[in-house]
Amino acid sequence: MPTMITDHTYRIARENTQAMIIDIQERLTPHLFDHEHIVNKAVTLIKGLQVLEVPIMLNEQYPKGLGETLPEIREVLKGDNAKTFEKVTFSACDNDDTWNHLAQQNRSVVLLFGAEAHVCVMQTALDLLDNGMQPVIIGDAVGSRHPYDKKQAIRRIRRAGGVISTVESILFELCRSSQDPAFKTISNLIK
């Protein structure tokens, strides 16, 4: 069978991937549907991404009103991954500091997780698509107050060209092989 050549890749490669945590904050998160599950998944994802050396950026929506990022998220972030970008816009891409940091990473795939799926996560994903980047929504690590809002946001993002994944799926895809030095740690995180 001949090989087809396309200008689009469907596999997500570690060296072309960065991640963005959106608004997992003190006064917002407790109102999310199934918020404890979302926070646990986010913590697992952060730990795995750091083992894989995927850069992570942290965004906070108006921390004066919504509080800071949850301590359980902050505790697992290390080094440059703990750098925080404050925003008042719903899309993180509308914040100049955030956008400049994203662009400087020179990685076109952006994993998005946090809150709320139908507001800040969705608008950020749509702006990434508008700017030629590939958003990957980590479905089990995003939330909204109402499940229907999350469902519709995921549907719209997928239709626009975003990719939907899960914590376990993306970590193993970025790892690629059981021979990878990160595999054992990731495997233990998923258990």
Side-chain angles (χ1 to χ4, degrees):
M1 177 179 227
T3 303
M4 280 183 60
I5 298 173
T6 66
D7 61 352
H8 186 79
T9 340
Y10 292 95
R11 288 292 295 265
I12 298 167
R14 182 185 330 182
E15 60 277 359
N16 194 33
T17 300
Q18 58 185 313
M20 183 187 297
I21 304 166
I22 301 177
D23 309 342
I24 305 180
Q25 292 168 252
E26 296 164 327
R27 292 188 201 110
L28 173 63
T29 306
H31 300 285
L32 301 177
F33 178 80
D34 204 12
H35 71 275
E36 290 173 351
H37 175 78
I38 292 162
V39 172
N40 289 337
K41 288 293 188 174
V43 167
T44 299
L45 181 59
I46 292 164
K47 289 177 178 177
L49 292 173
Q50 289 181 142
V51 169
L52 292 164
E53 299 180 351
V54 171
I56 305 168
M57 63 185 309
L58 176 63
N59 282 270
E60 292 179 339
Q61 177 74 24
Y62 185 60
K64 186 176 178 183
L66 293 176
E68 293 187 0
T69 298
L70 293 179
E72 50 266 63
I73 299 291
R74 281 210 175 272
E75 287 169 9
V76 294
L77 289 168
K78 297 176 182 147
D80 288 343
N81 293 336
K83 185 169 173 52
T84 304
F85 297 86
E86 291 184 16
K87 64 185 182 69
V88 292
T89 58
F90 297 124
S91 170
C93 295
D94 280 340
N95 177 300
D96 288 341
D97 291 338
T98 299
W99 180 251
N100 291 336
H101 183 80
L102 271 173
Q104 288 170 0
Q105 300 305 309
N106 200 28
R107 295 169 182 242
S108 63
V109 175
V110 184
L111 310 181
L112 298 177
F113 57 108
E116 280 192 84
H118 65 293
V119 183
C120 296
V121 174
M122 184 185 74
Q123 290 184 36
T124 300
L126 296 175
D127 281 347
L128 288 169
L129 286 163
D130 282 345
N131 285 282
M133 298 180 90
Q134 179 63 68
V136 177
I137 309 307
I138 309 303
D140 53 348
V142 297
S144 292
R145 286 163 293 151
H146 306 289
Y148 186 75
D149 286 329
K150 175 180 171 178
K151 179 181 177 181
Q152 294 309 314
I154 296 287
R155 177 181 268 167
R156 181 172 177 196
I157 293 165
R158 180 181 283 135
R159 282 191 177 155
V163 173
I164 313 304
S165 190
T166 65
V167 170
E168 183 172 346
S169 179
I170 198 66
L171 289 176
F172 282 121
E173 183 171 358
L174 293 170
C175 190
R176 288 191 74 108
S177 165
S178 62
Q179 301 299 305
D180 190 294
F183 171 75
K184 190 169 188 162
T185 303
I186 288 175
S187 201
N188 288 330
L189 284 172
I190 298 302
K191 287 182 182 176

